[in-house]
Amino acid sequence: MPRAVTSTAIPFAVACLGIALFSVMDAAMKGLAIALGAYSTMLWRQGIGGVISAGPYFLTRKGWPSRAALRVHALRGFVTAIMAVLFFYGIARVPLAEGIALSFIAPLIALYLAIVLLGETVGRHSIIASTLGLCGIVVLLVARIGAGGPRHLDGVAAIMLSAVLYAWNIILMRQQALLASPTEVAFFQNVTAGAYLLLALPLVMLVAPSIFHVPERSLWPMLLLAAVLAFFSLLLLSWAYSRAEAQVLVPVEYTAFVWAAIMGAIFFNEAVTPTTLAGAVLIVTGCIVAARGGRPDTARLEAAL
C-alpha cells in the first residue's frame, strides 16, 4: 500500500515532471513515427521498454499480481496500444502543439463517459464546458482546413479518437496505481501493450505490410531514448496517481502544451499559431468549468468499467 501523503503538492510536482518527460518522449516519437510509421515505432519501443522495465520489476516484486490487478493491466495495455498508435500517427502529421491541444478534449470526454456509464444528468456546467471545448475544436479545425499545403485531417481525426481512449485511460491509470507498484505498472504497461501490437502483426502484414518497418541502425538510439523516457514517466505518474486523486492531477496534463510548443519549435521548427493558442485556451477553459461544476464519481466509474 502507498504511504499516506498529507498534501497533494508533492504528487502534483511529481506528476508535472512525469508529463515533462512524456512530452520530450512525444517529440522523439514524432520523429520516429515520421521515419518508421506509428505502428512500427510503438511496437519496437514497447519491446525495448519491456526489457528495460523487467529488471526493476522482478528485483522489487513481492509476488504475482492479483487477478484484479492483472485484469486492469491487460485492459489498460489494450487501450494504450490503440490510443498511442493513433496519437503518434496524428502528431506525425500535424504540429506537436496543435496535436496536444486537440488531445486536451479528453477530460471533457471523460465527463460524458461518466454520464453514459453512470446515468448522470447533464448540468449547466457540463453544457458550458462542452460548448467551450467544441468552440476550441472548431477553431483548430478551421485553421487546419484553411492552412496552406497538406491539411492532414486524417491526423486530426486520429488524435481525436485517441483522446476518447485517453479519457478512459485516465480512469484506468488511477485504478491501476491503487492496485500495483510503479515498477509493476511500468512493466505490465510495456509488456501488455507490446503483446497486443505483436498479435496484430500478422493482420498488418496481410492487410498493409508497408506499415511495418525494421529500424535502421541510426534510429535505435532514439528508440532507446523514447523507451527510457516512457519508463520513467510511467514510474513518476504511477507514484503520483497512487497518492492523489485523478481529479487533482488531471490539470497537470495541460502543462504538456508548453512542453509541446518548446519541443516543436526546437526539433521541428514549428511555430505556435494564434489559432492553436486560442483553441487550446478554449478547450482548457471548458475543462476547468467542467471540473468546477462537479467531477465524475471515479469509484463508481471504475466499478462500471
Side-chain angles (χ1 to χ4, degrees):
M1 294 292 292
R3 288 177 290 180
V5 177
T6 57
S7 171
T8 60
I10 295 176
F12 192 89
V14 170
C16 283
L17 180 57
I19 292 296
L21 293 182
F22 251 131
S23 299
V24 178
M25 184 270 293
D26 284 342
M29 290 293 285
K30 178 181 173 78
L32 289 164
I34 292 171
L36 292 173
Y39 171 79
S40 293
T41 298
M42 269 300 295
L43 178 63
W44 292 108
R45 194 201 78 179
Q46 294 305 107
I48 297 172
V51 174
I52 292 172
S53 59
Y57 168 62
F58 284 106
L59 287 173
T60 60
R61 76 186 186 106
K62 298 179 181 179
W64 192 248
S66 65
R67 181 178 298 179
L70 285 173
R71 176 182 174 274
V72 177
H73 291 327
L75 182 57
R76 190 180 174 207
F78 179 75
V79 172
T80 297
I82 302 173
M83 175 191 77
V85 170
L86 287 169
F87 179 72
F88 293 127
Y89 176 89
I91 63 170
R93 285 156 178 79
V94 302
L96 197 55
E98 183 180 336
I100 294 295
L102 285 167
S103 72
F104 284 163
I105 200 70
L108 291 179
I109 296 171
L111 177 69
Y112 280 91
L113 181 65
I115 291 170
V116 171
L117 292 177
L118 305 177
E120 297 178 358
T121 58
V122 179
R124 181 172 60 88
H125 283 84
S126 298
I127 295 172
I128 295 173
S130 300
T131 302
L132 288 170
L134 181 61
C135 288
I137 295 297
V138 169
V139 167
L140 293 171
L141 285 176
V142 168
R144 172 59 41 191
I145 293 171
R151 294 179 175 85
H152 293 306
L153 295 181
D154 57 334
V156 173
I159 292 171
M160 293 294 292
L161 183 53
S162 175
V164 174
L165 293 173
Y166 191 67
W168 190 2
N169 182 66
I170 289 172
I171 294 150
L172 291 173
M173 191 187 311
R174 169 66 173 168
Q175 188 179 31
Q176 190 180 35
L178 293 174
L179 292 170
S181 68
T183 53
E184 181 180 317
V185 169
F187 174 71
F188 279 95
Q189 179 83 348
N190 280 290
V191 170
T192 55
Y196 287 121
L197 291 169
L198 190 60
L199 286 172
L201 184 57
L203 180 62
V204 167
M205 297 304 294
L206 179 65
V207 176
S210 61
I211 70 172
F212 175 72
H213 301 280
V214 177
E216 297 179 3
R217 184 179 300 177
S218 61
L219 294 176
W220 285 104
M222 188 63 71
L223 278 167
L224 178 60
L225 174 64
V228 169
L229 289 170
F231 171 68
F232 282 106
S233 298
L234 283 169
L235 286 182
L236 292 171
L237 289 171
S238 178
W239 187 93
Y241 271 85
S242 69
R243 288 161 173 80
E245 294 182 355
Q247 62 191 31
V248 174
L249 298 179
V250 163
V252 173
E253 300 285 340
Y254 306 138
T255 63
F257 183 81
V258 177
W259 290 109
I262 294 171
M263 295 297 108
I266 293 174
F267 295 108
F268 303 102
N269 197 30
E270 297 172 347
V272 178
T273 64
T275 51
T276 298
L277 185 59
V281 168
L282 284 168
I283 295 170
V284 170
T285 303
C287 293
I288 293 171
V289 170
R292 295 183 70 176
R295 301 177 176 90
D297 185 338
T298 54
R300 288 172 61 200
L301 185 52
E302 287 166 5
L305 293 171

